Coordinates of all heavy atoms in Angstrom, one line a residue:
F36 N 128.0 119.3 94.5 CA 126.7 118.6 94.9 C 126.0 119.4 96.0 O 124.8 119.7 95.9 CB 127.1 117.2 95.3 CG 126.0 116.3 95.7 CD1 125.2 115.6 94.8 CD2 125.6 116.2 97.1 CE1 124.1 114.9 95.2 CE2 124.6 115.4 97.5 CZ 123.8 114.7 96.6
G42 N 119.0 124.6 99.9 CA 118.0 125.7 99.7 C 116.9 125.3 98.7 O 115.9 126.0 98.6
S43 N 117.0 124.2 98.0 CA 116.0 123.8 97.1 C 114.8 123.1 97.8 O 115.0 122.5 98.9 CB 116.6 123.0 95.9 OG 117.2 121.9 96.4
R50 N 110.8 106.9 90.9 CA 111.8 105.9 90.7 C 111.9 105.5 89.2 O 110.9 105.5 88.5 CB 111.4 104.6 91.5 CG 112.3 103.4 91.3 CD 111.6 102.2 91.9 NE 110.4 101.8 91.3 CZ 110.3 101.0 90.2 NH1 111.4 100.6 89.7 NH2 109.1 100.7 89.6
H67 N 121.8 106.1 93.8 CA 122.1 104.9 93.1 C 122.7 104.0 94.2 O 123.7 104.4 94.8 CB 123.1 105.1 92.0 CG 122.7 106.2 91.0 ND1 122.3 105.9 89.8 CD2 122.7 107.5 91.2 CE1 122.0 107.1 89.2 NE2 122.3 108.1 90.0
F68 N 122.1 102.8 94.5 CA 122.4 102.1 95.7 C 123.5 101.0 95.6 O 124.0 100.6 96.6 CB 121.2 101.5 96.3 CG 120.2 102.5 96.7 CD1 119.2 102.9 95.9 CD2 120.3 103.1 98.0 CE1 118.3 103.9 96.3 CE2 119.5 104.1 98.4 CZ 118.5 104.5 97.5
L85 N 119.0 93.5 104.2 CA 119.3 93.3 102.8 C 120.2 92.1 102.6 O 121.2 92.0 103.4 CB 120.0 94.5 102.3 CG 119.1 95.8 102.0 CD1 120.0 97.0 101.7 CD2 118.2 95.5 100.8
D92 N 125.1 99.1 111.3 CA 124.9 100.5 110.9 C 125.9 101.4 111.5 O 125.9 101.6 112.7 CB 123.5 100.9 111.3 CG 123.1 102.3 110.7 OD1 124.0 102.9 110.0 OD2 122.0 102.8 111.0
T109 N 110.4 126.5 111.9 CA 111.5 127.4 111.8 C 112.8 126.8 112.4 O 113.9 127.3 112.3 CB 111.2 128.7 112.4 OG1 110.7 128.5 113.7 CG2 110.2 129.5 111.6
R114 N 118.3 115.5 113.4 CA 118.3 114.2 112.7 C 118.1 114.4 111.2 O 117.2 115.1 110.8 CB 117.1 113.4 113.2 CG 117.0 112.0 112.7 CD 115.8 111.3 113.3 NE 114.6 111.9 112.8 CZ 113.4 111.7 113.3 NH1 113.2 110.9 114.3 NH2 112.3 112.4 112.8
L117 N 116.9 112.6 105.4 CA 117.3 111.5 104.4 C 118.8 111.2 104.7 O 119.6 112.0 104.8 CB 117.2 112.1 103.0 CG 117.3 111.1 101.9 CD1 116.0 110.2 101.8 CD2 117.5 111.8 100.5
G154 N 115.8 93.0 71.8 CA 116.4 93.3 70.5 C 116.9 92.1 69.9 O 116.2 91.0 69.8
A168 N 119.6 98.1 80.6 CA 119.1 98.7 79.3 C 118.0 97.8 78.7 O 117.2 98.3 77.9 CB 120.3 98.8 78.4
V170 N 115.7 95.6 80.7 CA 114.6 95.8 81.7 C 115.2 96.6 82.8 O 116.2 96.2 83.4 CB 114.0 94.5 82.2 CG1 112.8 94.8 83.1 CG2 113.6 93.6 81.0
A178 N 115.1 88.5 89.1 CA 115.3 87.8 87.8 C 115.1 86.3 88.0 O 114.4 85.6 87.2 CB 116.6 88.1 87.2
S205 N 107.2 88.5 80.9 CA 106.6 89.8 81.1 C 105.4 89.7 82.1 O 105.3 90.6 83.0 CB 106.2 90.5 79.8 OG 105.4 89.7 79.1
D225 N 109.4 83.2 96.4 CA 109.5 81.7 96.6 C 111.0 81.3 96.7 O 111.3 80.3 97.5 CB 108.8 80.9 95.6 CG 107.3 81.0 95.7 OD1 106.8 81.2 96.9 OD2 106.5 80.9 94.7
G251 N 129.0 85.0 86.5 CA 129.5 85.5 87.8 C 128.4 85.7 88.8 O 128.7 86.1 89.9
W256 N 117.5 77.7 90.3 CA 116.4 77.4 89.4 C 116.0 75.9 89.5 O 116.7 75.1 90.2 CB 116.8 77.7 88.0 CG 117.9 76.9 87.4 CD1 119.2 76.8 87.8 CD2 117.8 76.0 86.3 NE1 119.9 76.0 87.0 CE2 119.1 75.5 86.1 CE3 116.8 75.6 85.4 CZ2 119.4 74.5 85.1 CZ3 117.1 74.7 84.4 CH2 118.3 74.2 84.2

Side-chain angles (χ1 to χ4, degrees):
F36 181 85
S43 56
R50 178 188 65 84
H67 312 253
F68 293 95
L85 284 169
D92 182 2
T109 51
R114 186 182 62 191
L117 190 76
V170 181
S205 54
D225 284 334
W256 66 296

